[in-house]
Amino acid sequence: MTVLVVGGAGYIGSHAARALSLRGENVILYDNLSTGFRALAEGRDLVVGDIADVDRLESAMRRVDAVMHFAAHAYVGESVENPRKYFQNNVVAGLNLLDTAVRCGVRNFVFSSTCAVYGVPARTPITEDFPREPVNPYGASKLFFERALHAYQHAYGLRYACLRYFNAAGADESGELGELHEPETHLIPLALAAASGSGEPLSIFGEDYPTPDGTCVRDFIHVNDLAEAHVLALQNISDSGESLVLNLGTGEGHSVREVLAVVKQVTGREVPHKIVPRRAGDPPVLVADASKAKALLGWKAQRNLTDIISTAWNWMQKRAAITA
Ligand code: UDP
């Protein structure tokens, strides 16, 4: 099978491309390099283009059997400040991608969704049938796209997998791929940068949450576990002809303070930090119930928080050379 990995020069897309190649699939990356990096596409067939560019997209689409779509803006805070950017890219340009796939007869579509579609859930762990009530434009844009996929399935015979990630983190074990965001806003890379002395002390956003140590609890999932789930999900929809909506998490929560403790274990260094007020829109606890992915794909996360932080640390040390 030949797969168009849209957003394939980004963090999760580049890991999915590698997982597809390891399974023997042909991969074409499509990325406008606005937030992706050429270095993460090294050695792969890369088409530099925007998902709003119909002609370029169509000529790439004619060469493939399936699409994995990672090309979205994904900063919650920015989506609140600049919703136009989020609806324009994640919805309007995203629909352009979807329409192009349908027009070119590409039937299998894997979509990178998010637990942000659940908003602030009443309980935890979260199953896929929890109400979808996003509390920011980012989550709303992802939910819109999920609904479009659902409607297109009935109307145009598309098969899709919506994969709702919890907190993607970590890096490929080779040290050749990893997280690169500009600006970086995520907890683990910022905590590692603080520990190494290359970044500012970490700001912990609130320690008065109703959690055991007062800091937020998240379900951190290794990017290669996510990547493997994408490969299995694509195989599943293409073999069964049925669509899928799945949570991808470990089912285990870790608090911000627990993350800092593991960063210390892995790096041997304290994480300089300070407590600051809560960040708007952060639910206290987000943990997946990932049993549906286990039942339908036989998938279960293989890597734990120590693996996540060790691989992220390895990547941080190597990436300066790779991205120079
Ligand atoms: N967090 C923090 N300080 C930071 C960045 C994140 O305390 O500098 C906390 C944040 O409040 C959340 C958790 O770490 O509870 C994970 O945040 P991140 O931005 O990594 O991912 P998100 O949950 O927003 O997808």
Side-chain angles (χ1 to χ4, degrees):
M1 179 155 37
T2 301
V3 185
L4 190 66
V5 181
V6 181
Y11 173 42
I12 303 173
S14 62
H15 287 78
R18 188 180 183 101
L20 284 165
S21 292
L22 289 172
R23 286 281 179 130
E25 311 291 2
N26 293 319
V27 175
I28 301 172
L29 309 186
Y30 190 92
D31 201 299
N32 67 2
L33 300 178
S34 69
T35 55
F37 293 84
R38 215 173 262 284
L40 297 181
E42 188 67 35
R44 303 209 180 280
D45 182 353
L46 168 67
V47 178
V48 178
D50 197 281
I51 53 174
D53 181 343
V54 186
D55 292 343
R56 188 161 302 214
L57 199 48
E58 192 163 320
S59 68
M61 196 67 79
R62 298 241 173 250
R63 299 160 59 198
V64 305
D65 311 293
V67 173
M68 285 192 184
H69 173 30
F70 299 90
H73 296 310
Y75 291 118
V76 168
E78 185 187 52
S79 80
V80 175
E81 314 263 299
N82 190 0
R84 186 184 297 139
K85 175 174 174 183
Y86 279 69
F87 291 117
Q88 189 59 46
N89 186 66
N90 297 4
V91 176
V92 178
L95 287 178
N96 192 50
L97 170 67
L98 191 54
D99 287 336
T100 307
V102 169
R103 203 168 50 249
C104 295
V106 175
R107 290 274 167 270
N108 298 305
F109 199 103
V110 179
F111 175 55
S112 156
S113 191
T114 167
C115 65
V117 298
Y118 300 113
V120 182
R123 291 171 285 118
T124 188
I126 300 166
T127 53
E128 289 81 355
D129 55 1
F130 268 41
R132 265 79 72 204
E133 291 167 350
V135 292
N136 51 60
Y138 166 63
S141 71
K142 289 284 184 173
L143 181 58
F144 182 96
F145 202 84
E146 284 200 4
R147 292 194 166 140
L149 286 169
H150 188 68
Y152 276 42
Q153 162 185 248
H154 290 291
Y156 311 126
L158 189 79
R159 293 178 291 247
Y160 66 86
C162 282
L163 303 179
R164 296 180 182 152
Y165 317 153
F166 282 64
N167 283 63
D172 188 66
E173 285 80 5
S174 67
E176 291 166 9
L177 300 176
E179 190 164 10
L180 273 183
H181 291 119
E182 188 47 51
E184 187 52 79
T185 61
H186 294 104
L187 176 63
I188 291 176
L190 290 177
L192 288 169
S196 73
S198 66
E200 299 291 309
L202 182 83
S203 293
I204 296 182
F205 297 141
E207 58 168 1
D208 57 351
Y209 283 96
T211 59
D213 67 16
T215 62
C216 286
V217 170
R218 293 288 179 273
D219 183 339
F220 295 94
I221 171 85
H222 194 285
V223 64
N224 271 350
D225 282 323
L226 285 182
E228 284 153 19
H230 283 71
V231 176
L232 295 172
L234 175 57
Q235 190 79 57
N236 182 288
I237 59 170
S238 113
D239 291 350
S240 71
E242 304 282 332
S243 296
L244 287 173
V245 178
L246 297 175
N247 284 341
L248 296 180
T250 65
E252 264 192 53
H254 293 283
S255 72
V256 172
R257 283 203 183 276
E258 283 177 275
V259 167
L260 267 50
V262 178
V263 168
K264 183 180 171 192
Q265 265 169 26
V266 166
T267 63
R269 304 175 201 190
E270 291 287 347
V271 181
H273 63 271
K274 59 186 181 200
I275 311 296
V276 302
R278 293 179 177 196
R279 182 172 68 177
D282 271 340
V285 180
L286 287 173
V287 176
D289 178 328
S291 52
K292 190 175 168 196
K294 172 94 168 72
L296 296 187
L297 301 183
W299 174 89
K300 189 173 181 304
Q302 301 298 316
R303 299 158 180 91
N304 63 21
L305 185 61
T306 304
D307 301 323
I308 287 173
I309 292 176
S310 312
T311 52
W313 179 231
N314 181 38
W315 161 246
M316 182 174 270
Q317 289 163 306
K318 292 196 175 152
R319 76 170 181 211
I322 292 168
T323 57

